[in-house]
Amino acid sequence: MSKGLLLVLNCLTVMLTLLPQYQELFVYTLQVTQHQVWRLLFGRLICLDVKDAFCSSLLIYNFRIFERRFGTRKFASFLFGTWVLSALMDFLLAQAFQFLFDYEVEELPAGLIAPVFSLFVPFYRLIPSMPVTQVLGHIHITNKSLVYIVGLQLLTSGPFMWLVALSGLISGGLYHSNFLWMQKLLFVPAWVSCIGRYILEPLFTTSQPSSETPVGMGATLDIQRQQRMDILDQQLMLAQYNESTRNTRPQPQPQPGFLQWTRLFPSLRQRGPNRPPMQPRPQAEAPPSTQSPLLDNSPVAEE
């Protein structure tokens, strides 16, 4: 599902960028007549701005963890339910904005933006936050900071992007909490999931790694997928904990000066202390004389 959204929607965005004369057909406008209901469908699927398409693609790529955790059908049901709810929320928020500020909102940013923002709700509630590093000693950088930064960039890309983002967050909160049993009312039917499994899944599914050891003893594929995701989460948390403890270790103080000579030739510097100390050579001793002092030619012997 994630791969299909990335490929299909981005290809359509590039095609509309190369053919700007057809962009008017995909503008997301709230002033829809009876013969232009199709604008609500295409205007809320295809991005007309390349920057919005790029940021939303990054978010979908990061949110693919929910497809692995929930399964493709449940993930598609979440996107479909929030897509329908956000259409109603867009209209209600636009009417409220017109009532409060006396300004009529006619057009909104096009694309699958509201369902993408709705995925921030389970991302905030279900994905654990682990510190990675610190900036200036006070700002903590976690494994979720980059996703929030991309979402903030997407939020500030248009004048009424905040309205679509707020609509997506409200829709995601309502659907995730199963308000008024929305998960039983708005879902992808089983027969649609079967069609996608036999037609679309062979096109976007990659082969499983041959060197990967099967994990889990679940009776169903969903339980095995859940067990695999739990193990991956544990490995991620353990790696981040090791990285944080490594950063807290005291580092050696650098040498004063313009050039830090301790960073040059580390292999040679580490080889020096491991070399065994050289023992001084023993001095050669004079061999003892075997001649008798009486046979010596010295003056004492002559006397």
Side-chain angles (χ1 to χ4, degrees), residues 58-67 69-70 75 78 115-130 142-151 169 172-173 176 233 236 240:
L58 287 178
L59 293 176
I60 292 175
Y61 179 78
N62 284 277
F63 290 149
R64 74 191 188 281
I65 185 175
F66 295 116
E67 184 176 4
R69 184 183 292 264
F70 300 152
F75 180 72
F78 185 90
V116 169
F117 274 103
S118 66
L119 289 171
F120 276 100
V121 176
F123 181 75
Y124 176 77
R125 293 184 177 181
L126 301 180
I127 303 301
S129 178
M130 294 295 298
T142 65
N143 57 333
K144 301 165 63 175
S145 299
L146 181 60
V147 180
Y148 290 136
I149 292 174
V150 176
L169 293 176
H176 182 72
D233 291 341
L236 177 61
Q240 292 173 351

Side-chain angles (χ1 to χ4, degrees), residues 141-208:
I141 303 298
T142 65
N143 57 333
K144 301 165 63 175
S145 299
L146 181 60
V147 180
Y148 290 136
I149 292 174
V150 176
L152 182 62
Q153 175 64 32
L154 182 60
L155 180 63
T156 58
S157 62
F160 288 102
M161 185 64 71
W162 64 270
L163 193 147
V164 181
L166 182 60
S167 174
L169 293 176
I170 295 175
S171 303
L174 294 177
Y175 193 86
H176 182 72
S177 60
N178 198 15
F179 181 73
L180 295 179
W181 301 279
M182 290 183 179
Q183 296 182 5
K184 296 183 179 180
L185 298 177
L186 301 174
F187 62 93
V188 175
W191 60 272
V192 177
S193 178
C194 293
I195 292 175
R197 180 179 303 173
Y198 289 106
I199 297 178
L200 300 179
E201 187 174 355
L203 299 177
F204 301 107
T205 303
T206 57
S207 59
Q208 295 292 335

Side-chain angles (χ1 to χ4, degrees), residues 9 13 46 54 81 103 114 135-136 142 159 162 165 180 193 205 208-209 230-231 250 253 264-265 268 273 285:
L9 297 182
T13 300
I46 305 173
F54 178 74
Y103 184 84
V135 178
L136 301 178
T142 65
W162 64 270
L180 295 179
S193 178
T205 303
Q208 295 292 335
D230 293 340
I231 293 177
Q253 297 295 332
L264 300 179
F265 308 106
L268 297 179
E285 298 180 356

